[in-house]
Amino acid sequence: MGPVTYDLVSFLLDRRSEPPSLAELRAYRLLLLEERRLLGLGALDPDEVAQEFRLMTIQRGLKAVGTFSYQTAVCSRGAAYEHFIQPTLCIVLQAAEWLDRFPTLRRMLRERTNIN
């Protein structure tokens, strides 16, 4: 019922230890589009899917960081979650930069991830 990229972002990016390459994400998006075609589902514009994927990456990534932070700080589960916070922030920053949007968010993420 949600955006076509919602589950794809979760499947590809949840709990990653490093940001994916542009080529890797493009290949998966193209695979999604081809599988939709083979199933007889309506065609989607690849550029629109890429933009939606990046927006969904920001939304889901920030949500995940909140969950990881809560599990670490409040529930004392840092061993399981804390090491995903920094990489997820980097993934969110990467998506925001590829979109060339959200300058305040990008500045804040650069400060917190030590990425220039």
Side-chain angles (χ1 to χ4, degrees), residues 4 30-44:
V4 69
L30 291 176
L31 177 63
L32 169 72
L33 295 173
E34 177 61 12
E35 290 298 318
R36 286 182 56 88
R37 186 189 69 75
L38 293 173
L39 291 170
L41 299 173
L44 299 174

Side-chain angles (χ1 to χ4, degrees), residues 97-114:
E97 287 180 341
W98 284 343
L99 285 168
D100 196 26
R101 292 180 61 185
F102 312 112
T104 303
L105 174 64
R106 288 166 38 205
R107 179 184 48 78
M108 292 171 58
L109 289 172
R110 276 191 222 101
E111 290 170 0
R112 284 157 182 78
T113 58
N114 297 317

Side-chain angles (χ1 to χ4, degrees), residues 34-104:
E34 177 61 12
E35 290 298 318
R36 286 182 56 88
R37 186 189 69 75
L38 293 173
L39 291 170
L41 299 173
L44 299 174
D45 180 276
D47 292 333
E48 289 178 14
V49 171
Q51 181 166 345
E52 181 182 285
F53 184 90
R54 291 169 182 153
L55 288 168
M56 192 58 56
T57 296
I58 294 168
Q59 186 265 332
R60 287 193 57 93
L62 292 175
K63 179 180 178 264
V65 167
T67 299
F68 299 153
S69 298
Y70 177 80
Q71 291 294 326
T72 298
V74 178
C75 300
S76 301
R77 296 184 182 142
Y81 294 97
E82 186 173 16
H83 61 280
F84 294 118
I85 295 171
Q86 185 78 1
T88 304
L89 288 173
C90 291
I91 289 168
V92 169
L93 175 59
Q94 179 186 62
E97 287 180 341
W98 284 343
L99 285 168
D100 196 26
R101 292 180 61 185
F102 312 112
T104 303

